[in-house]
Amino acid sequence: MLLLAVDTATPAVTVALHDGASVVAHADQVDARRHGELLLPAVDKVLAEAGVKLDAVTDIVVGVGPGPYTGLRVGLVTAAAFGAAIGAPVHGLCTLDGLAHAAQQAGVEGPFVVATDARRKEVYWARYEDGRTRVGEPAVDRPADIAEQVAGLPAVGAGALLYPEVFPGARGPEHQSAAALASLAAERLAAGGTFLPPTPLYLRRPDAQVPKNYKVVTPQ
């Protein structure tokens, strides 16, 4: 197995390569406005560090979000293009699951909450029993509206760090890690586990919409 993992659902542009036993190379940069510019050079860097070409990759895993529209699409489209080019299967994983796995690797014990910044004074969030077990589906909410549900639970992620009044004692990891995503995916592949389709998990409608009431102009 040679698994390539990419995720652009958060401000982090993150790539990792996993050989089925461990992560052999990874690259991480945080820049919420340059996903499209940074992702391919990061992939090149990781492959070069590992001393392999793209066609050596046997599987691709991509974070499907939840996340903002533009950044999220960069990773998904790139993963789909790579999969088509080399004939490798593309597996989707929830971005919050990757953060939960990274949190467990960093010593966070469950149960806990993962929350990323959803903008608009909201967070994408989910509860976890441990770094591999999510409770329910990811959601997007205002922090104050979920205060009772997350009270007393440790929290990780940039969204939790933004709202200390709801997530007191929030800690890192702050952003997604493709290394953790790759490790989680390698475990699932080895165990014959299931994955999500490599399609975006938005949780809410995009900002840009077709106007409902617009003036129709016809030729005279």
Side-chain angles (χ1 to χ4, degrees):
M1 175 195 297
L2 194 60
L3 172 71
L4 178 68
V6 300
D7 198 318
T8 58
T10 72
V13 178
T14 180
V15 179
L17 200 64
H18 197 289
D19 65 2
S22 62
V23 173
V24 295
H26 66 92
D28 307 279
Q29 283 185 272
V30 178
D31 190 328
R33 298 181 180 275
R34 299 178 62 216
H35 293 85
E37 298 174 46
L38 297 175
L39 181 57
L40 290 179
V43 172
D44 287 342
K45 177 183 176 182
V46 165
L47 293 173
E49 185 176 329
V52 299
K53 300 292 186 181
L54 181 62
D55 58 9
V57 170
T58 60
D59 294 88
I60 298 170
V61 62
V62 60
V64 302
Y69 179 87
T70 303
L72 179 55
R73 295 289 296 184
V74 170
L76 288 164
V77 170
T78 300
F82 285 166
I86 64 176
V90 181
H91 313 284
L93 275 180
C94 175
T95 295
L96 300 180
D97 290 358
L99 265 165
H101 197 61
Q104 180 173 279
Q105 292 175 332
V108 179
E109 297 183 358
F112 59 87
V113 176
V114 174
T116 60
D117 182 16
R119 305 172 187 172
R120 305 184 196 172
K121 298 182 179 180
E122 295 179 330
V123 293
Y124 297 119
W125 70 284
R127 290 182 55 177
Y128 290 82
E129 285 297 326
D130 53 51
R132 296 175 177 83
T133 311
R134 176 162 31 91
V135 180
E137 297 300 318
V140 57
D141 290 289
R142 289 182 176 271
D145 294 339
I146 61 172
E148 292 186 5
Q149 298 179 62
V150 302
L153 293 174
V156 302
L161 291 166
L162 281 173
Y163 302 98
E165 69 280 7
V166 175
F167 305 100
R171 54 169 291 183
E174 183 175 358
H175 298 294
Q176 174 65 308
S177 161
L181 195 73
S183 295
L184 180 61
E187 287 185 10
R188 290 195 184 181
L189 283 169
T194 60
F195 291 85
L196 296 173
T199 54
L201 182 63
Y202 292 130
L203 298 188
R204 64 186 181 200
R205 297 179 64 84
D207 293 332
Q209 297 184 29
V210 177
K212 295 181 180 178
N213 299 307
Y214 56 89
K215 185 177 180 180
V216 178
V217 179
T218 57
Q220 297 294 328

